[in-house]
Amino acid sequence: VRYPSALGDTTFSSYLDWMRMACVVSVTQCPSIVLPCGRLPCGRPVGVQIVGAPGADATVLAAAAFLETVLRWEKPS
């Protein structure tokens, strides 16, 4: 399986179930960006999603640039 089957008490029966929370942001029309931030011990990539208020695109991009600089995350190979 290429997606987690459970997170705490929540179970996911399909990929779409697992992606539901990430998709919720899309329907709000709020700007968002996802940054890769490393890998789990098993090798799966991990990312962080930044979401801003409607129209706050520049703020979201600035926050992403700040995190990349300050946290110095390495690009996944």
Side-chain angles (χ1 to χ4, degrees), residues 6-59:
L7 180 61
D9 294 337
T10 304
T11 58
F12 309 111
S13 60
S14 70
Y15 178 78
L16 293 177
D17 280 348
W18 175 60
M19 289 297 296
R20 184 179 304 140
M21 290 310 297
C23 296
V24 168
V25 173
S26 297
V27 299
T28 66
Q29 297 184 353
C30 292
S32 64
I33 191 168
V34 176
L35 299 172
C37 60
R39 292 191 178 270
L40 297 174
C42 66
R44 286 186 176 169
V46 177
V48 62
Q49 183 177 31
I50 301 169
V51 181
D57 302 59
T59 303

